[in-house]
Amino acid sequence: MLEKDCSGNGLLPEDMGTLIRKDRSRDDVLKMFLQLTTSLFNMPSGYISIVDDTTHNVIVSHQISMTPKPRQFSFCQYVVDSSQPVIVPNTCLDQRFCEHPLVVGSAGIRFYAGMPLTFRNGVTIGSYCVIDTIPRDLTEDDLTSLNFISDLVTRFIESWLDVAQTDLNSGLPNMHQLIGDLQSEVSNDDNNYSSLILIECIGVNQSEDIARTMGIKNLNRLIKDISFTLEQTLQLKPSEKLYMICAGRFALYSKNLTSNERSLRERQLRNLQAHLADGVTIGLNICVGETAITLPISSGQEILRQAESALYAARCSHAHRWSVYNQDDDDKRNNDFYLLYDLTDAIRKGVDLFLVWQPKVTLPDGNVSGLEALIRWNHPARGILSPGIFLPLIADTSLMVELTDWVIDHAIEQQIQWTAQGLRLPTSINISILDLTRGNFTQNLVEKIEKAGLDRALLGIECLETEKLLASSNVIEELRLLRQEGFSVSIDDFGTGYSNLNYLSKIPADIVKLDKSLIDNVQWEPSQQIIVRHVIRILKDLGYTVIAEGIEDEKTADILSEFGCDQAQGYFFARPMTTDKLELWLNNIHFLENKAKAS
């Protein structure tokens, strides 16, 4: 139900937003009321307004068009301020209206009757109005009838708002009601300790899967059963209230929750089940986010946001599924959001991003065989950032595709310059699963290479996310096309995660890169030497070029060379370098080689 506020007309911002928002079913009924009224009183026009502290909003009208206007320029302000009917037989003779644009302008309003729309709690939200272009008088019977109709309209809007604040499937109050109640709590100076607890019983992806496989009807039945199960299990106190936020997510508002009661709540929410279909139950893997409501807090929205932040932390935690809001963690996530915003700007404006190049060398001679292009970001405030900081922020977004395009374009641009200087430096770039699923990736790459006049062998592709690669036949086909068009394809980070030799037969690739974690202890652990030796031998027998990553010392390089590893990269040979430093490094290598030959 609508709550009172401590200022203005008593209307909370959340309620105002709901009332002025278009709703076809509600507005169709209100228009019918207006048509009935104007016909009954032989009036040409009418409208229904909602008036807040600053604005006059017409939500429906009949035979007149009215746009939102400042409150002080509206007829209806007088109705709302007095909560009484305002009848103006002749607007030209009323000092309040005689110079109003709707009176002296083309609208030519001469008669106005506004009836207050006052809810049961005493809040007047607006007015129910009829107007005419000629002066008129209303009889007592007319006024009684008009007042009766406006009361019906008020009760209808009030009932509609009640429904708008209730989840029809579960019967619980919804998020709009929660925001209103929280806002009322923020305005309450006599606030005892209270908390908001978000309870996620099924996630968004899971609810979508259920709807897709079993239908909306079964999903709704599941949600209804979950809400019933929660109410029965939690055994709410009079000072507690349960809300439905969205499908599978609930909010528990609680006052004076003791530590013992909180522990009880944790136990109650373990191992719950709900009915999915006849004879079929589903286990609820519940995550909980909790925040204490401590003043001052700016709004109910901020309380809910803090609880959402805690829920996110619980969802990401493998150890503990109940998380309490933490300001430091929240600040970090907010900083990540701002970083994401800055990165979007950097990509689309082409500023602050640059490439570094890490050489690959052949074993055992150490000759430079190629480069890997790596992205870096010179953030205006935070300095140079490695991809490990900012790439996870865009991993599943379209920005990853935009960033890949940026890397490809700048790698090609650099290849054009090196080719003109007589340098042949085959370069690999890292791509994500999103790049391979966007469509026409290979064709677009071919067009860019041909436009640049470059040999396709100068550009190679490195793929992560092996498990995702295997899950999509379209991705496998795209990799096959890349190889057919003359681009080398590398499987990156072999030896971690989903790595196994069996999947190599399913992924079209030329090169396998051994992850640093696989070869880190190879000089110290005999068992690791056996594993690495046999992995390299099998990969070579299968026809792959084998590259070892993360080589940091000469001994490891010698062992891998002895095992037959083709190439290597790592700090022992060279760190990632900017273009200028790379060219100096290459010139120094050539100088030393020529000096050695001369001697």
Side-chain angles (χ1 to χ4, degrees):
M1 189 49 222
L2 192 71
E3 299 287 344
K4 282 190 176 183
D5 190 60
C6 59
S7 62
N9 68 355
L11 199 62
L12 290 174
E14 291 77 17
D15 298 306
M16 173 59 68
T18 302
L19 287 169
I20 65 175
R21 188 172 60 240
K22 295 296 182 183
D23 183 281
R24 184 173 179 178
S25 60
R26 177 202 67 183
D27 294 349
D28 285 347
V29 174
L30 293 178
K31 287 178 182 179
M32 292 172 66
F33 273 112
L34 284 176
Q35 289 172 358
L36 172 64
T37 306
T38 54
S39 175
L40 181 64
F41 292 99
N42 195 26
M43 299 275 187
S45 308
Y47 62 90
I48 299 175
S49 69
I50 303 295
V51 183
D52 64 13
D53 291 343
T54 61
T55 310
H56 173 266
N57 302 278
V58 173
I59 57 173
V60 292
S61 61
H62 176 65
Q63 300 297 339
I64 189 172
S65 177
M66 299 186 73
T67 58
K69 61 174 64 68
R71 188 184 201 273
Q72 64 268 29
F73 297 130
S74 69
F75 292 177
C76 300
Q77 63 173 307
Y78 301 103
V79 180
V80 174
D81 288 344
S82 65
S83 295
Q84 297 293 325
V86 173
I87 311 299
V88 184
N90 188 340
T91 56
C92 293
L93 303 179
D94 192 305
Q95 290 184 353
R96 296 172 298 177
F97 305 119
C98 60
E99 296 182 0
H100 196 282
L102 292 177
V103 176
V104 300
S106 58
I109 296 177
R110 295 294 178 266
F111 171 81
Y112 169 82
M115 310 301 293
L117 302 176
T118 303
F119 281 180
R120 285 186 292 264
N121 63 359
V123 173
T124 299
I125 63 168
S127 63
Y128 185 79
C129 311
V130 288
I131 55 178
D132 204 341
T133 55
I134 60 174
R136 315 184 48 137
D137 288 306
L138 292 181
T139 67
E140 286 297 323
D141 289 342
D142 291 338
L143 189 58
T144 300
S145 298
L146 189 57
N147 188 64
F148 178 75
I149 294 173
S150 68
D151 282 345
L152 288 177
V153 169
T154 304
R155 297 289 83 78
F156 169 75
I157 294 175
E158 199 169 21
S159 298
W160 173 85
L161 186 59
D162 283 342
V163 172
Q165 295 174 326
T166 302
D167 177 75
L168 297 181
N169 184 36
S170 66
L172 295 173
N174 62 16
M175 184 168 67
H176 174 79
Q177 180 67 62
L178 171 63
I179 295 296
D181 289 347
L182 290 175
Q183 192 64 41
S184 178
E185 184 72 13
V186 168
S187 304
N188 182 8
D189 293 333
D190 187 29
N191 177 53
N192 294 318
Y193 176 82
S194 56
S195 61
L196 180 67
I197 300 171
L198 291 188
I199 306 168
E200 185 175 82
C201 298
I202 57 173
V204 173
N205 292 337
Q206 188 179 11
S207 63
E208 288 178 351
D209 289 341
I210 293 170
R212 185 180 67 253
T213 57
M214 304 192 69
I216 292 294
K217 182 178 180 180
N218 279 316
L219 175 62
N220 287 338
R221 181 161 63 173
L222 172 65
I223 299 302
K224 189 172 183 177
D225 191 67
I226 291 174
S227 63
F228 176 78
T229 299
L230 283 179
E231 288 185 283
Q232 293 295 308
T233 301
L234 295 175
Q235 299 177 7
L236 302 179
K237 302 184 300 182
S239 58
E240 294 180 311
K241 191 173 182 180
L242 189 66
Y243 302 80
M244 166 75 80
I245 301 299
C246 61
R249 185 179 298 181
F250 301 81
L252 175 63
Y253 171 74
S254 181
K255 279 194 173 184
N256 304 318
L257 187 68
T258 67
S259 58
N260 287 337
E261 289 171 332
R262 184 177 177 277
S263 298
L264 174 62
R265 291 281 181 260
E266 288 194 59
R267 293 194 299 272
Q268 288 171 328
L269 292 173
R270 293 175 190 162
N271 304 318
L272 291 184
Q273 291 185 327
H275 292 87
L276 179 59
D278 293 337
V280 179
T281 60
I282 182 173
L284 304 179
N285 188 19
I286 292 176
C287 289
V288 178
E290 177 187 355
T291 186
I293 302 175
T294 55
L295 299 179
I297 292 180
S298 58
S299 68
Q301 291 281 4
E302 172 61 16
I303 298 170
L304 181 57
R305 190 200 67 77
Q306 291 182 5
E308 289 281 2
S309 177
L311 180 62
Y312 176 83
R315 196 185 299 117
C316 294
S317 173
H318 299 292
H320 194 54
R321 306 288 282 182
W322 186 308
S323 179
V324 178
Y325 174 75
N326 180 282
Q327 181 70 53
D328 292 338
D329 292 343
D330 189 48
D331 288 343
K332 181 184 181 303
R333 283 189 286 272
N334 288 337
N335 289 335
D336 286 346
F337 173 80
Y338 296 133
L339 199 64
L340 176 62
Y341 179 85
D342 292 342
L343 180 58
T344 303
D345 202 47
I347 294 172
R348 293 178 178 172
K349 291 183 178 179
V351 296
D352 301 328
L353 297 173
F354 64 98
L355 292 177
V356 294
W357 317 87
Q358 183 166 35
K360 303 173 186 177
V361 302
T362 56
L363 295 176
D365 52 36
N367 292 329
V368 178
S369 58
L371 307 169
E372 181 178 359
L374 301 168
I375 188 71
R376 295 292 186 269
W377 181 18
N378 188 11
H379 188 274
R382 298 176 58 175
I384 295 177
L385 301 178
S386 71
I389 294 175
F390 59 87
L391 287 186
L393 303 179
I394 63 171
D396 297 318
T397 74
S398 60
L399 283 176
M400 182 63 83
V401 172
E402 294 183 40
L403 185 60
T404 299
D405 285 338
W406 188 96
V407 171
I408 290 173
D409 292 342
H410 284 74
I412 289 175
E413 182 180 333
Q414 187 58 60
Q415 283 290 356
I416 293 173
Q417 296 179 27
W418 282 332
T419 301
Q421 298 170 23
L423 290 175
R424 183 177 177 84
L425 297 169
T427 300
S428 63
I429 59 172
N430 294 283
I431 64 171
S432 71
I433 191 74
L434 290 177
D435 297 307
L436 296 171
T437 55
R438 59 169 140 163
N440 299 322
F441 176 79
T442 301
Q443 184 58 39
N444 291 337
L445 191 59
V446 168
E447 292 174 359
K448 289 181 178 183
I449 286 287
E450 290 184 346
K451 183 178 179 181
L454 295 174
D455 183 350
R456 298 178 190 182
L458 287 175
L459 200 64
I461 301 299
E462 296 196 15
C463 305
L464 292 168
E465 306 171 299
T466 307
E467 186 172 4
K468 293 182 180 179
L469 294 179
L470 290 170
S472 172
S473 59
N474 291 336
V475 168
I476 298 298
E477 181 59 30
E478 197 70 32
L479 292 174
R480 195 170 284 116
L481 285 173
L482 283 165
R483 293 187 69 201
Q484 289 176 359
E485 293 292 345
F487 301 101
S488 66
V489 175
S490 303
I491 297 174
D492 207 353
D493 292 345
F494 184 84
T496 63
Y498 191 72
S499 298
N500 66 65
L501 293 169
N502 183 53
Y503 73 61
L504 292 176
S505 62
K506 302 175 184 178
I507 300 178
D510 312 280
I511 301 166
V512 173
K513 299 185 73 174
L514 303 181
D515 187 72
K516 183 178 185 298
S517 63
L518 186 65
I519 51 92
D520 259 349
N521 297 319
V522 72
Q523 64 172 302
W524 314 109
E525 298 287 345
S527 59
Q528 194 69 13
Q529 292 181 12
I530 295 171
I531 293 171
V532 173
R533 181 191 299 114
H534 284 283
V535 166
I536 292 174
R537 181 181 301 168
I538 293 172
L539 292 174
K540 297 279 288 180
D541 288 344
L542 290 172
Y544 294 104
T545 297
V546 182
I547 301 178
E549 295 183 287
I551 308 301
E552 296 184 355
D553 60 83
E554 184 176 9
K555 180 65 174 176
T556 300
D558 290 341
I559 291 173
L560 291 170
S561 177
E562 179 187 339
F563 289 170
C565 187
D566 298 298
Q567 299 178 33
Q569 64 183 116
Y571 287 179
F572 172 69
F573 302 103
R575 292 173 178 268
M577 294 173 276
T578 61
T579 303
D580 292 343
K581 290 183 178 179
L582 173 68
E583 292 175 353
L584 288 173
W585 182 80
L586 290 171
N587 288 333
N588 187 49
I589 287 178
H590 293 154
F591 172 77
L592 293 175
E593 288 177 347
N594 292 333
K595 185 176 180 180
K597 290 177 181 178
S599 62

